[in-house]
Amino acid sequence: MLFRQLEYFVAVAQERHFARAAEKCYVSQPALSSAIAKLERELNVTLINRGHSFEGLTPEGERLVVWAKRILAEHDAFKAEVDAVRSGVTGTLRLGTVPSASTTASLVLSGFCSAHPLVKAQICSRLASTELYRRLRDFELDAVIAHPSAEDSRDVELVPLYEERYVLIAPADMFPAGTSALRWPDAAQLPLALLSPDMRDRQMIDAVLAKHGITVSPQVETDSVASLIAQVATGHWASIVPHTWLWTTPTGGEVRPVRLVDPILKAQITLATNSTGPGSPVARALVAGARELALDEFFDARMSGISRGR
């Protein structure tokens, strides 16, 4: 059994199409099909249901693809480990973040990239946490910045990063001058633009409003916090976002942030890595750096201006 055979098999399982899998692996389709057929003969099982095209994995194939992903990931980690001993941590860090934490990635990566200048980083920031955790477990991502979730975070190691608090950002003329805090029912009366209902942050916002007997139907919904801020900047909408966006968002003058109270909604954000196997050197290095961060203090300093009504 060759690693190449496992790579081809995983590619077919992911693409669900022989030609696309061959293109992804930079081989001809006959060469890919031949390698997978040889793998089936070696294991004495049928892995793929075939008709005129790919028709799905057999039960044996479903089991093997889990093992194949793990074997390939540990093979890559071993090669990276050897490189790290020789020349320091190298390679590419594949980092996923939920949209509301996308700006936080720069704070997490700043010291990490300085300490490991040979590492490149790829950031995926448009997926819901459930999909991010799936990709982490399937070794398609090295680390994830997201809300912890009992159902999604099995087989992962969690390192607390910071605690989100939610604030209203709105054109200054939507509430009286000097307002530094607003109750959720009052915020719900404003024309709102919010994250889409499948996003974890929106679900927490809806849950708080539901406790007040309120269901909102925003005119604008998006999966991007940056898009929400742009909507507010037009002067037509208010929005509810984590306070962690205030350090990158111009406020004051025409756009103001206001604390939301009754209750003060908080949510933990963690750095997750795959806990099965030894893990990649880049993931371990990222975790080591993250443990040294004091992001709550950094974000609290940005909140202090709101608390003083500025």
Side-chain angles (χ1 to χ4, degrees):
M1 183 188 304
L2 301 176
F3 286 111
R4 183 175 64 251
Q5 293 171 300
L6 295 179
E7 289 172 357
Y8 293 172
F9 172 62
V10 169
V12 172
Q14 291 175 333
E15 297 295 326
R16 307 187 68 81
H17 193 277
F18 284 97
R20 288 198 299 268
E23 183 179 355
K24 181 178 182 179
C25 295
Y26 303 102
V27 296
S28 67
Q29 184 173 334
L32 179 138
S33 297
S34 176
I36 294 176
K38 184 177 180 181
L39 177 62
E40 291 178 315
R41 290 195 299 273
E42 291 177 2
L43 297 175
N44 195 30
V45 294
T46 299
L47 300 173
I48 298 173
N49 293 315
R50 298 172 177 85
H52 293 296
S53 60
F54 177 86
E55 294 183 357
L57 300 180
T58 65
E60 294 84 357
E62 294 285 0
R63 290 296 303 146
L64 179 62
V65 75
V66 175
W67 282 98
K69 289 179 179 179
R70 180 173 298 179
I71 291 168
L72 292 172
E74 294 193 357
H75 177 247
D76 290 343
F78 171 72
K79 291 192 296 184
E81 196 79 56
V82 173
D83 290 339
V85 171
R86 183 172 59 244
S87 56
V89 179
T90 61
T92 299
L93 171 71
R94 301 164 301 171
L95 177 64
T97 79
V98 290
S100 63
S102 57
T103 56
T104 310
S106 61
L107 300 174
V108 176
L109 289 175
S110 179
F112 169 79
C113 289
S114 295
H116 307 288
L118 298 179
V119 174
K120 294 183 178 180
Q122 295 176 346
I123 304 173
C124 173
S125 62
R126 296 296 297 273
L127 298 175
S129 58
T130 298
E131 176 63 13
L132 290 174
Y133 279 117
R134 184 199 67 76
R135 294 191 183 194
L136 181 63
R137 289 193 300 271
D138 285 351
F139 305 100
E140 296 172 23
L141 291 172
D142 297 301
V144 163
I145 299 175
H147 305 92
S149 168
E151 61 270 23
D152 292 329
S153 56
R154 58 182 173 82
D155 297 330
V156 303
E157 177 186 358
L158 300 175
V159 175
L161 285 180
Y162 59 88
E163 192 174 60
E164 286 181 333
R165 275 167 280 167
Y166 289 79
V167 297
L168 180 86
I169 57 172
D173 59 4
M174 282 194 179
F175 36 73
T179 301
S180 61
L182 205 64
R183 296 178 65 251
W184 287 84
D186 297 325
Q189 301 303 311
L190 299 174
L192 291 174
L194 295 177
L195 289 171
S196 53
D198 60 313
M199 309 308 293
R200 174 62 176 158
D201 300 79
R202 171 64 184 280
Q203 292 164 6
M204 290 188 289
I205 290 168
D206 285 346
V208 170
L209 292 172
K211 290 182 179 179
H212 289 280
I214 299 170
T215 300
V216 293
S217 180
Q219 187 177 15
V220 177
E221 293 179 324
T222 175
D223 61 359
S224 165
V225 178
S227 177
L228 290 182
I229 293 170
Q231 303 302 322
V232 174
T234 67
H236 297 295
W237 292 281
S239 189
I240 298 171
V241 300
H243 78 300
T244 51
W245 274 75
L246 296 181
W247 76 284
T248 62
T249 305
T251 57
E254 295 183 356
V255 175
R256 289 178 48 204
V258 174
R259 291 182 298 114
L260 286 169
V261 297
D262 188 25
I264 297 174
L265 178 60
K266 300 179 180 180
Q268 184 68 55
I269 294 292
T270 59
L271 176 68
T273 52
N274 197 314
S275 63
T276 61
S280 67
V282 289
R284 293 201 306 272
L286 183 69
V287 169
R291 292 186 187 278
E292 303 300 318
L293 297 176
L295 294 182
D296 275 322
E297 295 178 12
F298 176 84
F299 293 127
D300 284 348
R302 272 67 190 170
M303 277 289 285
S304 62
I306 301 177
S307 299
R308 292 192 296 268
R310 296 193 315 200

